[in-house]
Amino acid sequence: MKMSYKIPLAFTVLSLALVGCSSKAVKVEQIKPNPLPKISASQSIAPIASYSVAATHKVDPLRLQLGVDQGRVFAADPKGEVTAYQGKQRLWQTQVSKAGISAGAVAGEGIVVVANKKGQLFALDQATGSKKWHSQLTGAVLAPSLIQAGRVITLANDGTVFAHDIATGQQVWTYNLPKIDFSMRGTAAPVAVDPRTVLVAWANSYVYVIDTVTGIPHLQRRVSINDGRSDIQRLNDIDGEPVVAGRYLISTSYQGQLTALDLASQQVIWSEDASSLRSPVIFDNKVFVTQSTGKISAHDITTGQQLWQNEQLLHRKLSNPAILGNQLVVGDLDGVLHLIDPNTGHLVGRAKTAGEVRSLRSIDQQLYVSSQKGTYSIWQNR
């Protein structure tokens, strides 16, 4: 049987450091994160709610997030519980799986969806927390599903895309992505292109556009290249969700490029070298990306021209960037939320949460933060 290997980022860095070494003990120099730079803070954000769950392992890229719908917030606990809140009031709590939860929560069309490493997909009723249905998939689920057009779209770690009927849980269609022998441990979540089309990015540097209702593919296109010599040097995964803005599809890849694809012509219109496992963000005709080294850069969305680059936060394990109001926000390994002027790249403020920031989401002028220590928090501008 052919095996597929998924490796964490920490192992990749260590392996690269040891290439060509003899059997003697070798001291690997650890790169220290940049200290926090001094800034004259003029911008600030304030937490309006916080919820605590169990911590996740430091090297496991679990994609847990708060699900948000109709003014309610749904928190997934790695130990297997889902809890619903209205503000700070707890509405219900349901034990979903003794095997834990590794992806979710996603809320929409009356349900909440979570999944785990055993490939079990669960849908709960938003109002009561009761289990509506569950389904056994063919691989672990490490990224949130997408709820769209009466379907729940989920990407399993073995490369199978599943669509389930939102009401019954019946499997409607599957789409098989190419098998990958060696890749980073993590996957990008499915992304909506329009009300009836879903985009899936995969570890082979391709993106796939699929009809949500029928499962018929409309597009497959490579958006990144890598000509490394070894298996590790050739890793070119797309683990951060691509972003769709009008005609543009913007994607990042590990040891690859920041790329803009024209969805109408299906042609790459520009590409800039950048290594990132994080999703980019688009604001005011600019594309913002956090690279694996800690560099943050802004690019013109039509030409790819770099507008600015900030290297003050090198090696601080930055999260994906997000937009809150008129500010760019990134999180780091110490739980610091950095506020950045999107026009200049200057640091203009900071705030603090608990634990390494794993993901940021901006919804209705509020910032949703999840951390490795199990802290979910919601922030807004002061």
Side-chain angles (χ1 to χ4, degrees), residues 18-306:
L18 295 177
V19 169
C21 294
S22 68
S23 59
K24 295 181 180 179
V26 177
K27 183 179 180 180
V28 179
E29 183 178 356
Q30 293 185 346
I31 300 176
K32 293 183 179 180
N34 274 16
L36 287 176
K38 294 182 179 180
I39 60 174
S40 299
S42 60
Q43 304 292 329
S44 62
I45 57 177
I48 58 175
S50 180
Y51 315 103
S52 295
V53 297
T56 57
H57 197 282
K58 289 185 177 181
V59 299
D60 202 345
L62 298 187
R63 302 294 301 279
L64 296 175
Q65 63 185 23
L66 290 174
V68 184
D69 193 35
Q70 303 294 319
R72 295 179 178 179
V73 175
F74 305 91
D77 191 312
K79 290 187 176 181
E81 290 183 339
V82 177
T83 306
Y85 296 91
Q86 185 90 43
K88 296 181 180 180
Q89 179 187 3
R90 189 174 76 177
L91 303 177
W92 52 257
Q93 186 173 63
T94 300
Q95 178 68 38
V96 176
S97 167
K98 293 182 179 180
I101 296 173
S102 60
V106 178
E109 300 189 31
I111 66 169
V112 183
V113 176
V114 295
N116 64 25
K117 293 180 181 179
K118 291 186 177 294
Q120 297 171 319
L121 183 70
F122 300 91
L124 310 179
D125 184 276
Q126 279 193 21
T128 65
S130 61
K131 295 181 183 179
K132 293 195 68 173
W133 53 263
H134 76 272
S135 181
Q136 179 64 56
L137 311 187
T138 55
V141 182
L142 301 178
S145 302
L146 172 69
I147 298 174
Q148 185 190 46
R151 302 281 190 261
V152 176
I153 311 298
T154 310
L155 174 59
N157 210 32
D158 66 351
T160 307
V161 185
F162 291 87
H164 290 82
D165 182 89
I166 200 167
T168 66
Q170 179 181 359
Q171 182 178 301
V172 182
W173 55 260
T174 61
Y175 185 83
N176 295 316
L177 303 177
K179 297 296 183 183
I180 303 297
D181 293 329
F182 201 58
S183 68
M184 302 297 291
R185 180 171 170 79
T187 56
V191 175
V193 176
D194 57 45
R196 186 171 160 159
T197 312
V198 61
L199 179 139
V200 179
W202 189 228
N204 61 351
S205 309
Y206 276 74
V207 293
Y208 301 82
V209 176
I210 307 169
D211 187 289
T212 306
V213 176
T214 65
I216 296 174
H218 295 317
L219 163 70
Q220 66 176 48
R221 186 69 164 80
R222 185 164 192 166
V223 294
S224 180
I225 58 173
N226 184 303
D227 56 1
R229 295 184 178 182
S230 70
D231 286 338
I232 289 178
Q233 292 170 336
R234 284 192 296 270
L235 285 172
N236 201 201
D237 295 31
I238 304 174
D239 279 9
E241 289 79 44
V243 179
V244 177
R247 58 182 279 208
Y248 299 104
L249 170 68
I250 309 297
S251 63
T252 58
S253 59
Y254 181 63
Q255 301 184 141
Q257 294 84 37
L258 170 67
T259 302
L261 177 72
D262 187 309
L263 288 170
S265 66
Q266 302 185 8
Q267 298 299 312
V268 172
I269 55 177
W270 58 262
S271 183
E272 295 291 331
D273 287 343
S275 175
S276 180
L277 291 167
R278 312 299 185 195
S279 178
V281 70
I282 298 171
F283 176 69
D284 193 26
N285 291 320
K286 301 180 184 70
V287 178
F288 303 94
V289 62
T290 54
Q291 298 191 38
S292 301
T293 58
K295 293 179 183 179
I296 310 167
S297 57
H299 301 260
D300 183 274
I301 194 171
T302 59
T303 66
Q305 177 187 359
Q306 182 175 291

Side-chain angles (χ1 to χ4, degrees), residues 62 115 149 201 209 340 363 370:
L62 298 187
V209 176
I340 301 168
I363 304 172
S370 63

